[in-house]
């Protein structure tokens, strides 16, 4: 449904754009691409998110215009008084975070642009497709329906970043000839090159981040005859390496890259609970498994935030695995409750994370 969205853009002046907690490349790229488009059309635009950007996205053109929601009167007034609010790359009030309720209660027309399953029912208009490679692809469709001539270097860079990060650098199953045509169009119209973008995103690791990776790889554990693997990032490992938690982005893919592993998990301990990243290959779907723990996402990439301690979370999530993965031919669930040896092993993993010196 692009036409009603185009009419809405033409008819209104005050826009707000927001996206999900801990925004990734697709979230911020889609937000900035759409924001730049609206500004070029002379609109007033506020981009307001619950969380600050990851360190490797701070180079994106226009990021200084992206605000973190602090609940100020000015921010509340702009949200409540907007004509139109775009929610990109997420489809639920909880995932929007601190400004979720303000967005939902706003008198604005609420427009969803997203590729996740199961949108909530409070959006007035939607442009969504679960088969889309990224939300960036959907924003590209809106911009080209308006006027492809509006694509400049800033928009092209934002959307290239969105599509590239959400497709794992053009390798996931959502990638087809059409996605490559979109990318080719962005490179041409924006007159941009891929190399500096890939360098800025992936070749900017810190020493602290690499030390955290080393400690995390040491916690690698395989279960269910090697079909499920997981790793752990503890608070202590974060503190002792001095790495920022956003530097764990992509760690889970090392587990998934192991031959024979169908599902991979990364458990990250935070002050308020445990963040779990779920990834899988092929027909092993993880979204219902993540939903069972209050999270959600895509069939092969999901996440959840569980307000329980690290060890308890690991136990519960691993124990539930056979109910959501096709592991029926594996040992019954009861046998996957942890034995004393497993408990000891889990403690030793946490020890590796705690005691190994970062030097
Ligand atoms: P990640 O593991 O990279 O944080 O998240 C992978 C995907 O899972 C995200 O793109 C998002 O779709 C989804 N996701 C992550 N965390 C949550 C969560 O707490 N709730 C829901 N509903 N989805 C999440
Ligand atoms: Mn996305």
């Amino acid at each position: 449904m692009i036409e009603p969205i185009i009419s809405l853009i033409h008819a209104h002046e005050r826009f707000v754009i927001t996206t999900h907690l801990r925004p990734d490349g697709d979230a911020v790229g889609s937000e900035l691409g759409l924001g730049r488009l609206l500004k070029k059309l002379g609109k007033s635009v506020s981009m307001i998110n619950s969380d600050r950007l990851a360190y490797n996205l701070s180079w994106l053109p226009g990021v200084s215009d992206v605000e973190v929601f602090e609940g100020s009167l000015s921010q509340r007034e702009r949200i409540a008084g907007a004509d139109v609010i775009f929610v990109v790359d997420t489809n639920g009030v909880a995932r929007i975070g601190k400004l979720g309720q303000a967005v939902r209660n706003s008198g604005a027309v609420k427009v969803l642009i997203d590729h996740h399953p199961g949108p909530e029912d409070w959006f007035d208009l939607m442009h969504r497709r679960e088969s889309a490679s990224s939300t960036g692809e959907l924003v590209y469709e809106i911009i080209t329906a308006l006027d492809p001539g509006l694509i400049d270097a800033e928009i092209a860079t934002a959307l290239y970043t969105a599509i590239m990060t959400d497709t794992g650098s053009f390798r996931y199953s959502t990638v087809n000839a059409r996605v490559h045509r979109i990318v080719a169009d962005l490179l041409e119209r924006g007159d941009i090159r891929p190399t500096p973008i890939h360098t800025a995103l992936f070749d900017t690791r810190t020493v602290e981040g690499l030390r955290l990776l080393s400690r995390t790889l040491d916690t690698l554990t395989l279960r269910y005859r090697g079909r499920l693997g997981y790793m752990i990032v503890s608070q202590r490992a974060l503190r002792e390496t001095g790495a920022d938690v956003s530097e764990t982005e992509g760690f889970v893919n090392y587990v998934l890259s192991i031959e024979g592993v169908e599902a991979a998990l990364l458990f990250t301990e935070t002050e308020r609970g445990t963040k779990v990243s779920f990834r899988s290959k092929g027909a092993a779907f993880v979204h219902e498994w993540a939903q069972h723990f209050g999270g959600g996402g895509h069939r092969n990439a999901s996440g959840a935030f569980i307000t329980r301690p690290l060890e308890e979370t690991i136990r519960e999530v691993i124990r539930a695995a056979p109910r959501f993965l096709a592991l029926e031919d594996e040992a019954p669930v009861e046998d996957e409750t942890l034995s004393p040896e497993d408990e000891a092993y889990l403690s030793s993993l946490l020890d590796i994370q705690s005691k190994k010196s970062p030097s």
Side-chain angles (χ1 to χ4, degrees), residues 224-246:
Y224 299 102
R225 291 190 295 153
R227 295 170 67 183
L228 169 66
Y230 67 86
M231 301 196 299
I232 304 164
V233 175
S234 66
Q235 274 287 294
R236 187 154 171 190
L238 281 163
R239 204 168 49 238
E240 289 180 0
T241 56
D244 187 87
V245 70
S246 68

Side-chain angles (χ1 to χ4, degrees), residues 154-175:
E154 202 167 300
I155 290 175
T157 301
L159 297 186
Y160 182 91
T161 300
I163 298 171
M164 190 261 278
T165 54
D166 245 36
T167 56
S169 303
F170 310 110
R171 71 178 186 274
Y172 296 156
S173 61
T174 51
V175 178

Side-chain angles (χ1 to χ4, degrees), residues 102-251:
V103 166
R104 188 181 172 162
N105 296 336
S106 165
V109 181
K110 272 101 54 185
V111 184
L112 177 67
I113 306 177
D114 184 42
H115 63 142
H116 291 89
E120 289 179 1
D121 62 7
W122 50 273
F123 296 99
D124 302 302
L125 280 177
M126 296 184 188
H127 179 46
R128 60 178 297 277
R129 197 168 61 243
E130 284 172 42
S131 62
S133 66
S134 53
T135 301
E137 176 179 333
L138 302 170
V139 172
Y140 169 87
E141 289 167 5
I142 291 173
I143 297 179
T144 47
L146 259 161
D147 174 6
L150 289 165
I151 296 172
D152 58 12
E154 202 167 300
I155 290 175
T157 301
L159 297 186
Y160 182 91
T161 300
I163 298 171
M164 190 261 278
T165 54
D166 245 36
T167 56
S169 303
F170 310 110
R171 71 178 186 274
Y172 296 156
S173 61
T174 51
V175 178
N176 51 28
R178 193 175 158 274
V179 171
H180 282 284
R181 279 193 201 99
I182 290 173
V183 168
D185 193 42
L186 290 172
L187 295 180
E188 270 178 4
R189 290 189 187 278
D191 192 21
I192 59 165
R193 290 180 308 117
T195 306
I197 300 177
H198 286 257
T199 303
L201 278 166
F202 302 122
D203 300 334
T204 54
R205 282 192 189 276
T206 64
V207 174
E208 292 80 6
L210 223 59
R211 289 200 170 117
L212 183 67
L213 174 61
S214 156
R215 279 167 74 147
T216 306
L217 289 170
D218 267 338
T219 70
L220 174 68
T221 306
L222 297 178
R223 311 282 306 198
Y224 299 102
R225 291 190 295 153
R227 295 170 67 183
L228 169 66
Y230 67 86
M231 301 196 299
I232 304 164
V233 175
S234 66
Q235 274 287 294
R236 187 154 171 190
L238 281 163
R239 204 168 49 238
E240 289 180 0
T241 56
D244 187 87
V245 70
S246 68
E247 297 181 78
T248 60
E249 179 83 39
F251 281 12

